[in-house]
Amino acid sequence: MTNTIDLLESKIRAELAGIGLRWAKHVSWNVNAAVLYQAALEQGEGMATDAGALAVTTGCHTGRSPKDKFIVRNAASEHTVWWDNVASLSQSQFEQLKQDFMVHARMKSLHVQDLQAGADPMLALPTRVITEHAWQALFIRHLLIKPRTKHVAPQLHIICLPSFKADPQRHGTRSETVIAMDLQAGFVLIGGTHYAGEIKKAVFTFLNHMLPDFGVLPMHCAANVGKSGDTALFFGLSGTGKTTLSTDPDRSLIGDDEHGWSERGIFNFEGGCYAKAINLSAQGEPEIFAAANRWATVMENVTLDPVSRKPDFTDGGKTENTRLAYPLTAIGNASSDGRAPHPKAIIMLTADAFGVLPPLARLSADQAMYHYMSGYTAKLAGTERGITEPQATFSACFGAPFLTRHPSVYGAMLKDLMQRHKVPCYLVNTGWTGGAYGVGKRFPLDVTRKLLAVALSGAMANMALRADPNFGFAVPVAIDGVVPNMLDPRASWRDGEAYDAAAQRLVGLFQENFKKFEASENRAMLIAAE
């Protein structure tokens, strides 16, 4: 047994030397969750909860650091990357950074996981993740897919060394934190942050650049499928209800965050979930709560009772962005292979705190492309310091921080796929009715679920519809069991003129946001906001 282990370590050391990583103190290679869990506890990286989850803290970085993300300017990126969205490093700066990473890794214990991104075997991306912490290796082992085939040479290397500190003058970075990506070489360097979400999103960013060349649309969305094979996609920013509405006991969960749409259908990029844990309860989200209370789930920045080790999901003292990482197998109704047919419905979720948008609308292909590129929701008053009234938030393609190409590339692909596969798109507003936040009230969850069921069933095709006077999309006139005023936002307001003013303001915000896309887009798309 010892000889076998020695041979395996010798093999991986030779492969690591090939990329410049030499003289590691110890290397673990593709060890299972039990070994990583034990190593994390023995090395003091985290604590076991009362249910056997692994609770860790990520220090000063409790979320991503988008301003510290860089892409190397070279032949693979110069004419394809949307440089307005990401900072750049020169090839020489990246090579210096990489060399310093390799030196910093000497005499450290390293954990190597060979995984894949993409449940479709024809489009899978072999990915090697190298970390200095066992818990981060466990995290990514949960989040990505464990290959079913024998060892395949990785096409993407990710090295995560939280103890490494970048030097802005030497490396061209903004701070001591760095997430640097060379698209041409398939190499990512992450330093100065313990937040494991950077590893996950580095993979997604790489796929966002790679897959369009294969005619595949990468999407920041959840997906589920019904018993009859009726796949649904759920796009939406934080707080819109994407996780809650896509986790349905009557439908199989394909994945909660990242998917591709190819000529073969929908496929998950991941093999796990990275769920928010703040205010998690068994009553509100039973499937996720159960996953939180299982052995080896990685629990980021969740407060534990020092005696009982029970997690307090209501405590946001460290951060509101508390997280759980667990494999999809922890969800009882999850898809076994992460794949599904072409969608029968696309749901774009928004939480409109201005109280302007209807709770349900059907979008044309042009309107869907417009709203996809806009990626709208609204922050609520009081959620962030200094915010005293709702604020519009736009994130292109519902995931701007992870885009490498111009949003028009992804938008055009979505429109094309919708038209060729005859997929309807619906806007579902989970925000406010009867007025803006502070005056009106939020749409009840049971009403939203009823409207979602209408959209997924295709029943709107046989309903009387009216054109929304502000955005032009089609809105149902009446739905059984739903108060008519809820379907007509203006009628739900006491002051119709106040509604008109709020609506025109929101239309203006959409138009102002979209100006940055106009140069590369067909003006016909703006019909949705005229």
Side-chain angles (χ1 to χ4, degrees), residues 6 226 391:
D6 289 344
Q391 287 194 357

Side-chain angles (χ1 to χ4, degrees), residues 352-357 376 378 389-390 392 394 432 434-437 439 468 470-471 489-490 492-493 495-510:
D352 176 30
F354 295 103
V356 168
L357 296 177
Y376 164 74
E389 61 180 23
F394 296 93
W432 271 253
Y437 173 80
V439 176
D468 182 89
N470 302 299
F471 289 89
R490 192 178 193 277
S492 73
W493 283 49
D495 185 340
E497 291 185 357
Y499 170 83
D500 292 338
Q504 287 308 302
R505 181 185 174 212
L506 183 58
V507 168
L509 291 172
F510 266 85

Side-chain angles (χ1 to χ4, degrees), residues 440-521:
K441 63 178 182 178
R442 191 154 192 181
F443 286 108
L445 182 58
D446 63 333
V447 171
T448 297
R449 289 192 185 280
K450 183 174 295 186
L451 296 174
L452 178 61
V454 168
L456 294 180
S457 70
M460 274 185 69
N462 300 313
M463 288 182 173
L465 305 173
R466 65 176 180 85
D468 182 89
N470 302 299
F471 289 89
F473 39 54
V475 180
V477 174
I479 293 177
D480 289 345
V482 178
V483 178
N485 279 3
M486 279 192 175
L487 297 172
D488 183 351
R490 192 178 193 277
S492 73
W493 283 49
R494 291 184 178 179
D495 185 340
E497 291 185 357
Y499 170 83
D500 292 338
Q504 287 308 302
R505 181 185 174 212
L506 183 58
V507 168
L509 291 172
F510 266 85
Q511 292 173 334
E512 184 64 29
N513 172 71
F514 208 78
K515 284 181 180 178
K516 60 179 176 284
F517 305 140
E518 288 181 6
S520 61
E521 279 310 297

Side-chain angles (χ1 to χ4, degrees), residues 2-18 21 26-29 128:
T2 303
N3 290 338
T4 301
I5 293 174
D6 289 344
L7 286 172
L8 288 174
E9 182 160 332
S10 177
K11 175 178 170 54
I12 189 59
R13 281 181 179 273
E15 292 191 17
L16 295 182
L21 265 176
H26 171 69
V27 179
S28 76
W29 186 26
R128 173 168 288 171

